[in-house]
Amino acid sequence: MTVRAGLLRKVELSRGSARGDRRALRWQHLVDVTGERPRGVSGHGHGHGHGHGHGHGHGHGHGHGHDPKSYDALGNPEDLAAYLSKLESPERAEWQRPDDVVRALGLRPGNVVCDVGAGPGYFALRIAREVGPEGRVYAIDAEPRMLALLLDRAADAHIQNVLTVPSPDGAALPPERCHRILIVNAFHHFPGADYLGMLADQLLPGGRLVNIDFQGGELPVGPPPDHKVSREDFLRSAASVGLELVEEHTFLPYQYLLELARPEGENPA
Ligand SMILES: C[S@@+](CC[C@H](N)C(=O)[O-])C[C@H]1O[C@@H](n2cnc3c(N)ncnc32)[C@H](O)[C@@H]1O
């Protein structure tokens, strides 16, 4: 398993460091990150030994509805630069309510958190600040360009407690047990119960797996209806690997937010 520390990649910032310059450079870098490597990732898209596959070929602008484009085997749009800018767009906060989500996670300084399908770090970076220097965030993603960008953004923000975990087989696990395992807008990219069970095995006693994903039907944001995993289907998958719903939050306008845990004693210390 490869785990990379947040500051291994250094971002070259302009000497003047004026805000506008920094932003321009970041987006230039984003284009570099997304343009310099071959598109798509080998070894995905046809299941990975866990009874499920992805490559369902949707994309969702997360704030811009969905439109017909081409998508890679991970369900990410081929135009990754545009996708990334949508994932990180300021408008997303209006419906994603990241501060409220992070508050709902009930984190404490020093907690260990894993973000699965972390993308460029919308939540991983916020959570890294929340758990503080004594805590750690493992950011798992099957798309290396996402993790490359996440590391650069962490370096830019002087965040040192995010460690990336590449997931070339689409089923990587955090290298230690966690207080929280978070999946945001990502489970529908890898909708298998087996991986969910393997992740749940990595929870500390009292730990919770938190899934946030889009409600069914046509919405102004998110994937097309036939690519979503409904709340009920997710709960069925979770139950099949011994996860029980312990808390549900309903403040998000377009998504369900479910906290699950193994019954007490099943994840012993
Ligand atoms: C819609 S993005 C969500 C990113 C992030 N969680 C957020 O809320 O901004 C879905 C992410 O899941 C990743 N992904 C797709 N299949 C995956 C898999 N099998 N394992 C890990 N990540 C995967 C994609 O590369 C992408 O970064």
Side-chain angles (χ1 to χ4, degrees):
M1 175 174 305
T2 315
V3 179
R4 296 177 63 196
L7 282 182
L8 283 182
R9 285 176 64 99
K10 294 215 183 332
V11 181
E12 287 179 22
L13 294 172
S14 59
R15 295 207 185 282
S17 247
R19 228 188 147 120
D21 289 349
R22 288 167 66 94
R23 194 175 302 122
L25 204 66
R26 176 179 299 160
W27 291 109
Q28 177 57 47
H29 181 77
L30 185 156
V31 171
D32 291 345
V33 165
T34 56
E36 74 192 3
R37 298 188 177 98
R39 295 190 168 223
V41 182
S42 59
H44 301 288
H46 306 290
H48 33 70
H50 301 284
H52 65 279
H54 31 73
H56 43 284
H58 71 74
H60 37 86
H62 291 239
H64 302 264
H66 50 86
D67 47 23
K69 293 191 189 114
S70 56
Y71 304 101
D72 68 17
L74 297 174
N76 295 326
E78 291 286 359
D79 186 351
L80 204 61
Y83 184 46
L84 288 165
S85 71
K86 287 175 184 172
L87 283 175
E88 295 298 328
S89 76
E91 294 78 38
R92 181 176 172 190
E94 288 167 20
W95 54 270
Q96 189 61 85
R97 297 178 57 177
D99 294 343
D100 294 330
V101 169
V102 171
R103 202 170 303 121
L105 295 176
L107 299 168
R108 297 198 181 136
N111 276 178
V112 179
V113 179
C114 179
D115 185 0
V116 187
Y122 190 86
F123 278 106
L125 298 178
R126 287 172 165 87
I127 291 168
R129 287 193 196 95
E130 191 76 6
V131 299
E134 304 302 316
R136 285 176 292 294
V137 179
Y138 294 106
I140 295 179
D141 206 286
E143 168 54 79
R145 291 171 293 184
M146 294 283 186
L147 296 181
L149 181 59
L150 187 156
L151 287 177
D152 285 346
R153 296 181 66 223
D156 194 8
H158 304 289
I159 290 173
Q160 303 187 47
N161 57 342
V162 175
L163 299 108
T164 56
V165 182
S167 186
D169 66 351
L173 299 172
E176 64 178 308
R177 292 167 77 183
C178 302
H179 296 90
R180 297 285 182 276
I181 294 178
L182 179 68
I183 309 174
V184 183
N185 304 343
F187 185 73
H188 64 271
H189 288 247
F190 47 87
D194 292 351
Y195 184 35
L196 208 54
M198 290 158 59
L199 288 167
D201 290 341
Q202 292 298 99
L203 286 172
L204 284 162
R208 292 182 176 189
L209 185 146
V210 179
N211 184 40
I212 300 175
D213 218 333
F214 291 96
Q215 294 159 8
E218 286 286 354
L219 296 173
V221 296
D226 59 338
H227 290 134
K228 299 183 196 183
V229 175
S230 71
R231 172 187 177 281
E232 289 67 33
D233 283 347
F234 173 76
L235 286 175
R236 257 189 292 278
S237 292
S240 76
V241 293
L243 281 165
E244 295 177 346
L245 181 63
V246 290
E247 204 166 340
E248 178 160 9
H249 304 267
T250 55
F251 61 81
L252 293 173
Y254 303 125
Q255 296 152 298
Y256 50 86
L257 195 176
L258 309 172
E259 295 194 42
L260 303 106
R262 284 263 167 77
E264 222 163 282
E266 284 197 17
N267 273 16

